[in-house]
Amino acid sequence: MNMQKIRNFCIIAHIDHGKSTLADRLLEFTHTVSGREMQAQLLDNMDLERERGITIKSHAIQMKYIYKGEEYTLNLIDTPGHVDFSYEVSRSIAACEGALLIVDASQGVEAQTISNLYLAMGHDLEIIPVLNKIDLPGADPEVVADEVIDLIGCDREDIVLASGKEGIGIEEILNAVIEKVPAPTGDEEAPLQAMIFDSMYNPFRGVEVLFRIFNGTISKGDKIKFVNTGKEYEADEIGILGINQMPQKSLMAGNVGYLISGIKVAKEVKVGDTITHIKRPCQTTVKGFENVKPMVFAGIYPVETTDFEELRASMEKLQLNDASLVWEPETSAALGFGFRCGFLGMLHMEIIQERLEREFDMTVITTVPSVQFRALMNNNEYQVINAPSDMPEPTFFKHIEEPFVKASIITAAEYVGPVIQLCMEKRGQIKNQIYLTSERVELTFDMPLAEIVFDFFDKLKTISRGYASLDYEMKGYQQSTMVRLDVMLNGEVVDALSAIVHRDKAYEWGKRLCEKLKELVPRQMFEIAIQAAIGTKIIARETVKALRKNVLAKCYGGDISRKRKLLDKQKKGKKRMRQVGNVEIPQEAFMAVLKLD
Amino acid sequence: MVDSVVEMICKELIMRRNYLKGDPVVETIYFGGGTPSLLNLNQIEKILNTIYKNYSLDLKEITIETNPDDLSNEKLAGLNHLGFDRLSIGIQSFHDNVLKFYNRAHNARESLESIAMAREHGFEKLSIDLMYGFPYADHSLWISDLQLALTIDPGHISSYCLTIEPQTALGKWTEKGKYLPTTDDFNADQFEIMQAKMKEAGYIQYEISNFAKPHAFAVHNSNYWKGVSYLGIGPSAHSYDGQSRQHNVANNVKYVKGLMANELISEIDRLEREEIINEYLLTSIRTIWGTDLRLIQDRYQFDLKYKKEKELNLFHKEGLLVLEDEKIILTEKGRILADSIAEKLFV
């Protein structure tokens, strides 16, 4: 295939700005898929993704398009739209020469879009700006176009006006891709150098690897190697991705394809890794590879303690197709056996929880999420803290450090005040404030990651009436006075309710948590003291009064068996509760911390 | 219809004469459940005669449940003549508005008259039912009901809390938010008021809901709580032979038709050892005699004291129960939580 006739491009867009619908139109217009075949928003083919209206994992699809009498091959590489997956986005971008920047003509540019745009520009991608949803009554193409021009320095006439819903501007987009996006370069004869930008798990065929070839040629049956993992395989099947997989004998530099080589475990396939031949390896790997690191940690426990093995099996299966999920066994006095899991972010954590429920029918208790803190010990070594129980005794360390991020927030000018206030409450320090237009402002903060992972985004949305957008990147560790806050029920610490919080916030946190628990812990035979404590110091207390009366009045002949069955049922129901000392704790209580507002 | 039910009751009495193992001596007869006083004297006599003819008897107590409005001089004279020596009267309250709310056919005046009449006819063993938990701003109505009841001094008082069942008018109102049920705390207060007043008047709380002067404990009901076998006859009646519980079909027509064809339509619930222990536990723990640990050990080979040591110690420490002569006996504080305690001790 002539490399000059290939175009590799991705789409950069904010959630809800119409990426998926527009992608559908491109597929229809190029006859890659007929309207009848079209499942709404084809690229998002996981149930969960469709429901959440965002693309969680990226995919790729190849289209054929005749332009001025010549057939071109267009590879559209989809990108996930959430900050949890920013590394994957960077790898998708690295596989392309061009990007469609899709901006909702009524909403304007959002923070996430900007950071991905910068990523794309950093990779020298040709940017094709597209104003979408121009058919909407609220569209303001003039103002949004100004914003885009400011952002990428293009001319007004470079901007394509489109509507995925109405099919407006589709041909113009395709033409712009061919005219403006450079053809890939590379040497077909050079040693193989291809980059993995995504993988999918197929229970029957193993892991399917998506890759972009920068140099060389890969053929079916080749002996290949993944450079970073060092694992070697045979290319059982290679091919291109149309609406279905289309096997090929070989694929050459500049192209995008899939590889199947009997890989059983997703962990072996690392996004960003380089594929090369064993016999004639490339001299350099593709730049930018990183091992994905979990950002948020939480315990996951089965609701029924007896389901631990089943949960383990489910987690193992999940890990087969989600390499970014990491876990190790953990024991809690309150919850029994479970797992300490690392997630890319809160969304990822929610997805894992939902997938456990939907795909494996496992109901789980998730404990207070935490970021990775570290303690500078007295011997000047760092100790990693992934869970409250990892927190060393104060006498053994010099100080605690916590991860900070550089957060960028774009909001309408009228909400600048409340946004700044929220960020200050979250221990943020304002670093910069730029007016993108007279109406829209970009604010930059240094903030603790721990403050962002909880409910920050929801709060931000609320105070800005849904208009503020957020992006962040890791900045490194900073010293912080973090403390472990314990919750005690009748004097016994409930380990699963402990959390690492900033000293200045511990009092408020403890107070609210105690209040919430008071609502959730039912009255029992004894009075229950709910206390929040730092070390031995009690900082908050609530009391659940003892149950005053629990006795059925009538208990004669016919009532006896009925009563026995009722009590039996109650007793069984309580088995789902967790016992700490003499206190029974319902599952909801363990989730209470997630719902503090 | 009533006649045919009575006829079939007599037939069932004959059919099941050997239900209770080893031909034990019948100590008590109890006409209860629903409104047995609807039966006329002839019908009652027929049933009693069938019992007298077919069972070995050493009767200590013959009770009938009645409502104030169906007790006339004639009825009382007749019941007395038939051998009844104990009347249980469903008074519920001495306040007309409360009775109306409970959907009762009688009023307070009839209640007072019925008690007086019963005494004139020589009934010494009287029991009255009272209901608490009526939604009211304070406890004054309940206190006056208790005071009046204790002034009348029937010797035996059973008292139940108003409970809201889903399939009743009250249940529907509650569901729709038209009726706000009283809180557990409110009911607990009334229960405690009752415990205090009864104690003051010399009434012993020999079971959670039953108070009596020392000589006036109900023999029949006490046997339920002691795990004694009993035979229940008639539609919806429950029986217990020590190993299984059995209850007859509730529908009168089905009951009659079945017996006409010489078939008793009933369900038998054979109890596992653990279930028998649990049932004994949940009933016996309600009484002043308590749960006999030796009995559980001897009869069912189960060492409850050892197996539930942790729970028993905790409850003891909290002042909910005492252990006396190998019997678990609830304290006044423990009685109000009897179900929670029983549940924790369930094997």
Side-chain angles (χ1 to χ4, degrees):
Chain A
M1 194 197 303
N2 183 353
M3 221 186 286
Q4 290 309 312
K5 297 285 162 60
I6 298 177
R7 298 292 181 272
N8 297 317
F9 70 105
C10 60
I11 298 178
I12 294 167
H14 190 71
I15 300 162
D16 293 338
H17 282 201
K19 177 179 72 172
S20 299
T21 316
L22 206 62
D24 286 351
R25 291 292 101 76
L26 296 180
L27 298 183
E28 274 176 355
F29 197 84
T30 55
H31 306 290
T32 310
V33 56
S34 71
R36 205 161 53 81
E37 282 173 315
M38 178 72 66
Q39 214 181 348
Q41 300 185 4
L42 196 81
L43 284 178
D44 304 349
N45 61 13
M46 250 167 136
D47 274 359
L48 209 58
E49 291 177 31
R50 237 196 323 271
E51 277 170 41
R52 285 176 179 263
I54 46 167
T55 313
I56 294 161
K57 294 281 284 176
S58 50
H59 306 279
I61 194 158
Q62 190 171 93
M63 298 172 267
K64 298 287 186 191
Y65 183 58
I66 312 283
Y67 179 68
K68 293 186 178 166
E70 306 240 28
E71 190 188 68
Y72 285 82
T73 298
L74 307 182
N75 289 312
L76 169 58
I77 294 171
D78 198 17
T79 52
H82 192 275
V83 66
D84 280 8
F85 305 103
S86 55
Y87 172 70
E88 280 86 345
V89 176
S90 83
R91 294 304 83 201
S92 292
I93 284 170
C96 300
E97 281 81 23
L100 298 179
L101 170 68
I102 296 178
V103 180
D104 186 322
S106 62
Q107 307 271 336
V109 184
E110 305 287 0
Q112 179 82 60
T113 316
I114 294 183
S115 73
N116 287 345
L117 177 68
Y118 287 159
L119 261 179
M121 289 163 80
H123 279 85
D124 284 333
L125 263 56
E126 180 64 34
I127 309 295
I128 298 170
V130 177
L131 290 196
N132 195 22
K133 304 194 189 180
I134 54 154
D135 58 307
L136 289 188
D140 196 351
E142 286 304 306
V143 171
V144 178
D146 285 342
E147 226 180 297
V148 171
I149 292 165
D150 276 357
L151 205 60
I152 59 174
C154 63
D155 293 329
R156 190 168 292 269
E157 53 273 22
D158 291 334
I159 301 173
V160 182
L161 300 180
S163 163
K165 200 162 144 257
E166 299 297 326
I168 301 167
I170 305 305
E171 191 172 1
E172 286 83 347
I173 293 173
L174 289 166
N175 293 351
V177 167
I178 289 167
E179 285 168 11
K180 293 184 179 165
V181 175
T185 54
D187 182 353
E188 291 167 8
E189 303 303 325
L192 177 64
Q193 187 203 36
M195 182 194 70
I196 300 172
F197 64 84
D198 198 2
S199 68
M200 286 168 298
Y201 182 75
N202 178 326
F204 303 104
R205 310 183 71 188
V207 182
E208 298 167 359
V209 177
L210 304 191
F211 60 86
R212 155 74 197 269
I213 310 174
F214 289 106
N215 284 299
T217 301
I218 184 171
S219 300
K220 182 177 158 63
D222 283 357
K223 304 264 190 260
I224 51 164
K225 182 166 90 171
F226 291 179
V227 177
N228 283 291
T229 61
K231 298 260 185 189
E232 297 182 353
Y233 308 96
E234 192 175 309
D236 296 337
E237 182 180 321
I238 57 165
I240 55 173
L241 292 146
I243 197 66
N244 295 306
Q245 293 173 342
M246 295 185 270
Q248 307 286 314
K249 285 209 177 75
S250 61
L251 288 171
M252 281 176 266
N255 222 325
V256 168
Y258 72 89
L259 161 77
I260 292 170
S261 52
I263 303 169
K264 294 278 178 285
V265 186
K267 263 193 288 190
E268 290 180 23
V269 181
K270 293 189 188 286
V271 167
D273 203 349
T274 302
I275 307 174
T276 192
H277 283 123
I278 296 172
K279 276 208 176 136
R280 193 173 157 240
C282 53
Q283 294 306 303
T284 54
T285 57
V286 180
K287 277 185 295 180
F289 172 77
E290 280 173 33
N291 268 309
V292 180
K293 280 194 220 78
M295 303 283 257
V296 174
F297 297 81
I300 286 188
Y301 290 83
V303 165
E304 307 273 355
T305 45
T306 47
D307 288 346
F308 172 71
E309 284 306 327
E310 207 181 315
L311 177 61
R312 177 200 288 278
S314 307
M315 299 273 288
E316 277 167 358
K317 278 185 201 147
L318 260 188
Q319 211 178 28
L320 289 180
N321 64 4
D322 186 345
S324 46
L325 170 68
V326 294
W327 46 267
E328 55 185 41
E330 179 186 64
T331 319
S332 151
L335 298 176
F337 293 108
F339 300 97
R340 192 76 193 167
C341 303
F343 308 98
L344 299 178
M346 288 296 273
L347 178 72
H348 187 220
M349 177 173 126
E350 282 170 37
I351 289 166
I352 294 296
Q353 211 174 322
E354 273 191 54
R355 289 189 63 191
L356 280 171
E357 280 179 22
R358 289 185 190 206
E359 294 166 36
F360 301 96
D361 201 20
M362 291 293 312
T363 317
V364 293
I365 296 174
T366 312
T367 63
V368 196
S370 165
V371 298
Q372 189 171 68
F373 298 94
R374 63 186 193 187
L376 181 66
M377 305 303 286
N378 291 339
N379 61 6
N380 289 323
E381 278 175 13
Y382 279 111
Q383 182 178 316
V384 168
I385 303 168
N386 283 337
S389 57
D390 296 340
M391 188 95 156
E393 286 294 321
T395 47
F396 295 133
F397 63 81
K398 292 179 174 167
H399 65 250
I400 302 284
E401 295 178 6
E402 70 170 323
F404 270 68
V405 296
K406 179 173 167 246
S408 144
I409 295 166
I410 294 177
T411 180
E414 56 183 309
Y415 302 118
V416 165
V419 169
I420 291 178
Q421 198 188 340
L422 173 69
C423 293
M424 305 290 260
E425 278 166 23
K426 298 287 183 183
R427 299 191 282 132
Q429 284 180 315
I430 187 153
K431 289 290 168 189
N432 206 353
Q433 181 171 356
I434 302 169
Y435 277 77
L436 300 173
T437 66
S438 60
E439 291 300 312
R440 288 161 59 75
V441 183
E442 183 184 11
L443 300 160
T444 314
F445 293 88
D446 281 353
M447 281 181 76
L449 177 64
E451 297 287 351
I452 283 192
V453 298
F454 275 111
D455 52 358
F456 179 74
F457 193 54
D458 289 342
K459 282 230 169 91
L460 185 64
K461 283 278 178 191
T462 310
I463 59 164
S464 65
R465 299 186 193 238
Y467 285 122
S469 61
L470 164 75
D471 187 60
Y472 60 84
E473 59 187 69
M474 286 302 296
K475 212 172 153 274
Y477 278 82
Q478 286 184 26
Q479 185 175 334
S480 276
T481 43
M482 306 307 290
V483 293
R484 188 175 87 197
L485 184 84
D486 291 323
V487 172
M488 297 190 289
L489 295 181
N490 280 353
E492 291 206 38
V493 173
V494 184
D495 56 2
L497 289 173
S498 296
I500 298 171
V501 293
H502 193 267
R503 182 175 285 281
D504 295 347
K505 298 202 149 190
Y507 175 76
E508 189 57 28
W509 177 281
K511 189 168 153 268
R512 272 157 45 198
L513 186 52
C514 288
E515 284 165 2
K516 190 85 193 171
L517 286 170
K518 188 186 173 173
E519 286 170 30
L520 293 170
V521 175
R523 290 171 75 171
Q524 293 169 34
M525 292 173 66
F526 318 102
E527 186 174 285
I528 301 164
I530 303 172
Q531 293 167 307
I534 301 169
T536 52
K537 192 180 162 214
I538 307 292
I539 59 165
R541 180 191 162 117
E542 291 286 337
T543 307
V544 178
K545 283 203 205 132
L547 183 69
R548 284 219 23 223
K549 181 170 183 285
N550 182 25
V551 58
L552 184 82
K554 278 190 186 183
C555 198
Y556 303 108
D559 307 315
I560 297 171
S561 274
R562 200 162 47 237
K563 184 75 198 162
R564 193 245 316 144
K565 283 174 189 161
L566 188 72
L567 291 182
D568 254 343
K569 208 171 130 197
Q570 279 173 11
K571 196 181 178 92
K572 289 206 178 82
K574 284 186 185 155
K575 277 196 182 147
R576 290 178 70 116
M577 294 213 207
R578 300 308 167 93
Q579 185 116 14
V580 172
N582 57 10
V583 183
E584 282 157 345
I585 314 170
Q587 313 154 25
E588 305 89 76
F590 294 102
M591 315 294 276
V593 222
L594 300 175
K595 294 178 194 122
L596 291 180
D597 37 47
Chain B
M1 184 68 209
V2 181
D3 273 332
S4 54
V5 173
V6 169
E7 199 179 314
M8 291 308 124
I9 283 175
C10 294
K11 187 168 182 178
E12 188 191 353
L13 274 166
I14 296 166
M15 269 173 70
R16 299 179 73 197
R17 59 202 286 181
N18 295 320
Y19 174 82
L20 297 171
K21 307 283 175 323
D23 189 27
V25 175
V26 174
E27 285 186 336
T28 60
I29 300 173
Y30 195 98
F31 280 63
T35 317
S37 48
L38 277 180
L39 297 179
N40 63 40
L41 292 166
N42 286 337
Q43 292 163 333
I44 295 171
E45 184 174 19
K46 206 172 162 201
I47 295 171
L48 278 174
N49 282 338
T50 312
I51 298 172
Y52 296 156
K53 259 188 237 162
N54 293 282
Y55 291 81
S56 324
L57 304 165
D58 181 11
L59 289 171
K60 297 198 169 92
E61 188 183 277
I62 313 180
T63 311
I64 185 162
E65 282 183 0
T66 61
N67 284 327
D69 48 314
D70 53 40
L71 285 178
S72 59
N73 274 314
E74 188 203 350
K75 189 79 167 261
L76 284 163
L79 291 173
N80 197 355
H81 175 74
L82 289 173
F84 286 95
D85 67 343
R86 188 169 179 273
L87 287 184
S88 168
I89 310 175
I91 301 284
Q92 315 308 348
S93 170
F94 295 104
H95 295 277
D96 285 345
N97 55 337
V98 177
L99 288 169
K100 214 171 209 168
F101 179 83
Y102 292 156
N103 214 6
R104 294 281 156 170
H106 65 275
N107 57 35
R109 189 180 44 81
E110 287 171 313
S111 294
L112 294 170
E113 282 173 4
S114 67
I115 296 166
M117 265 196 297
R119 282 184 163 152
E120 278 167 30
H121 284 276
F123 284 98
E124 281 173 12
K125 292 195 247 174
L126 289 181
S127 174
I128 65 174
D129 287 354
L130 292 179
M131 186 117 68
Y132 62 97
F134 174 76
Y136 197 67
D138 57 30
H139 301 312
S140 58
L141 290 182
W142 177 233
I143 291 171
S144 72
D145 270 342
L146 283 169
Q147 277 167 343
L148 188 48
L150 290 167
T151 310
I152 293 164
D153 192 20
H156 189 285
I157 299 173
S158 300
S159 179
Y160 314 113
C161 186
L162 174 67
T163 51
I164 293 159
E165 303 289 342
Q167 292 306 323
T168 60
L170 208 49
K172 295 266 189 284
W173 290 350
T174 308
E175 227 171 82
K176 289 181 190 157
K178 287 184 187 167
Y179 171 66
L180 193 67
T182 51
T183 63
D184 280 350
D185 280 341
F186 181 89
N187 297 339
D189 283 342
Q190 298 209 332
F191 187 83
E192 280 169 6
I193 291 169
M194 166 171 72
Q195 282 180 318
K197 295 264 175 221
M198 296 283 189
K199 198 172 180 179
E200 210 178 277
Y203 277 65
I204 296 159
Q205 186 179 18
Y206 71 103
E207 194 260 359
I208 301 287
S209 307
N210 287 277
F211 301 81
K213 287 281 179 65
H215 60 278
F217 295 178
V219 182
H220 183 87
N221 286 346
S222 298
N223 282 340
Y224 288 130
W225 310 316
K226 291 176 178 172
V228 175
S229 307
Y230 53 88
L231 170 64
I233 299 291
S236 196
H238 287 67
S239 308
Y240 177 59
D241 66 0
Q243 270 108 42
S244 61
R245 295 199 183 269
Q246 181 171 351
H247 64 270
N248 294 349
V249 63
N251 183 293
N252 287 354
V253 177
K254 282 184 188 160
Y255 172 79
V256 169
K257 279 192 177 161
L259 277 163
M260 300 244 265
N262 294 318
E263 192 201 348
L264 177 70
I265 304 177
S266 67
E267 250 178 65
I268 299 181
D269 192 4
R270 206 159 289 287
L271 301 178
E272 304 284 336
R273 183 185 71 143
E274 285 74 20
E275 293 169 339
I276 298 176
I277 298 172
N278 288 343
E279 290 192 355
Y280 169 69
L281 204 109
L282 86 90
T283 47
S284 61
I285 209 161
R286 299 168 63 93
T287 69
I288 47 163
W289 307 287
T291 302
D292 189 341
L293 294 169
R294 269 186 301 235
L295 181 146
I296 295 178
Q297 176 67 57
D298 294 348
R299 218 182 266 176
Y300 311 112
Q301 289 76 51
F302 190 88
D303 191 345
L304 191 83
K305 195 177 170 185
Y306 173 72
K307 292 271 174 61
K308 296 283 170 180
E309 192 185 355
K310 200 181 86 196
E311 287 85 351
L312 288 170
N313 280 338
L314 180 66
F315 296 152
H316 184 255
K317 203 182 86 195
E318 294 288 331
L320 299 175
L321 54 78
V322 291
L323 222 60
E324 260 172 34
D325 187 27
E326 294 298 294
K327 290 185 184 76
I328 304 170
I329 295 167
L330 296 186
T331 59
E332 214 163 277
K333 190 177 155 198
R335 267 174 232 161
I336 198 162
L337 290 169
D339 287 353
S340 294
I341 296 170
E343 185 208 297
K344 296 272 187 249
L345 296 177
F346 262 24
V347 302

